Amino acid sequence: DIQMTQSPSSLSASVGDRVTITCRASQGISNYLAWYQQKPGKVPNLLIYDAYTLQSGVPSRFSGSGSGTDFTLTISSLQPEDVATYYCQKYNSVPRTFGPGTKVDIK
Amino acid sequence: EVQLVESGGGLVQPGRSLRLSCTASGFTFGDYAMSWVRQAPGQGLEWVGFIRSKVFGGATEYAASVKGRFTISRDDSKSVAYLQMNSLKTEDTAVYYCTRDPASVTKFFSGNYYYYYMDVWGQGTTVTVSS
């Protein structure tokens, strides 16, 4: 099975900072990667699919890039409401594995 | 409003069975694949399995950790997806979410291929397996 890793596992940044989270697949997955945001105590929410397509209603400060094995989620200007854990997920094949998550908080 | 509502969670002893339901509203249920995802206390997300739409035969796929014990089914007439969980283990303790799975379609010379992500999540139902 393809393994998904994320780095860092956690980060702390200031409001307005540019934040980048990396997701890596152990084998190529083309662009079949999604990013989800889970705020504390809440249900996960789709941010990006197909590696870079922004889901409707998601603020434009979120963006995704990458293909093959290396992907990034970028928050261009971190806001207090972005405190959450972010998960990548591959869906090129089963199992549709999630990454372990990256916890983002405000410094 | 597009909505998914899970039900059926609770406390169950190891080795017993439980059936979860996911009731959908606000969209044409039969047009979509549906997944189940779980989250153990304080842990990350784990994909459990999914069922394709009837157009694709309602075929199912499962994670290795539940294959042979869990079964996903659907009743399009009721807009409900089910997760039948048998031979439950303590490690199955988690919040169980159902999701709606739209497809990203890629056209190859050999035909169309469908890749499913998760765009709508239910609020989750808690399953606790303990004696």
Side-chain angles (χ1 to χ4, degrees):
Chain A
D1 292 349
I2 297 173
Q3 305 303 312
M4 305 299 293
T5 58
Q6 288 183 233
S7 61
S9 56
S10 65
L11 67 88
S12 185
S14 300
V15 172
D17 281 355
R18 184 181 184 88
V19 169
T20 299
I21 299 168
T22 297
C23 175
R24 179 163 290 172
S26 59
Q27 298 175 38
I29 60 170
S30 186
N31 65 324
Y32 301 115
L33 186 101
W35 288 96
Y36 302 90
Q37 174 194 62
Q38 186 176 31
K39 296 182 179 181
K42 300 297 186 182
V43 175
N45 181 52
L46 174 67
L47 297 176
I48 286 167
Y49 62 95
D50 290 351
Y52 56 82
T53 302
L54 198 66
Q55 172 69 351
S56 176
V58 173
S60 59
R61 63 181 179 273
F62 292 93
S63 64
S65 64
S67 183
T69 60
D70 295 310
F71 303 86
T72 59
L73 173 70
T74 301
I75 308 173
S76 60
S77 176
L78 187 68
Q79 299 301 304
E81 59 268 32
D82 300 335
V83 169
T85 299
Y86 294 83
Y87 296 93
C88 62
Q89 185 202 23
K90 64 95 152 164
Y91 53 95
N92 66 310
S93 63
V94 293
R96 291 158 60 185
T97 309
F98 289 90
T102 296
K103 188 174 182 180
V104 175
D105 63 25
I106 301 292
K107 193 181 294 181
Chain B
E1 179 193 6
V2 173
Q3 195 171 15
L4 300 173
V5 178
E6 301 92 338
S7 59
L11 174 64
V12 61
Q13 292 179 326
R16 305 298 290 264
S17 299
L18 202 62
R19 188 178 80 160
L20 306 183
S21 299
C22 169
T23 302
S25 59
F27 65 98
T28 304
F29 180 77
D31 287 349
Y32 288 86
M34 301 292 293
S35 281
W36 289 91
V37 175
R38 68 185 181 183
Q39 187 168 35
Q43 301 302 307
L45 301 171
E46 180 185 13
W47 175 77
V48 172
F50 88 118
I51 185 166
R52 296 175 178 83
S53 67
K54 285 291 196 289
V55 170
F56 297 99
T60 54
E61 306 278 1
Y62 300 95
S65 58
V66 306
K67 196 170 186 177
R69 299 188 300 123
F70 289 12
T71 302
I72 298 173
S73 60
R74 62 189 300 155
D75 185 338
D76 290 355
S77 69
K78 297 180 179 178
S79 296
V80 180
Y82 301 99
L83 178 64
Q84 176 68 43
M85 303 185 293
N86 298 332
S87 304
L88 281 161
K89 305 175 181 179
T90 55
E91 53 264 40
D92 295 320
T93 294
V95 175
Y96 284 74
Y97 299 100
C98 69
T99 73
R100 185 180 80 167
D101 294 6
S104 178
V105 182
T106 300
K107 300 181 190 300
F108 292 96
F109 181 78
S110 56
N112 292 342
Y113 287 76
Y114 296 82
Y115 302 92
Y116 299 94
Y117 55 97
M118 302 162 174
D119 73 337
V120 178
W121 295 61
Q123 87 288 349
T125 188
T126 300
V127 173
T128 303
V129 185
S130 175
S131 55

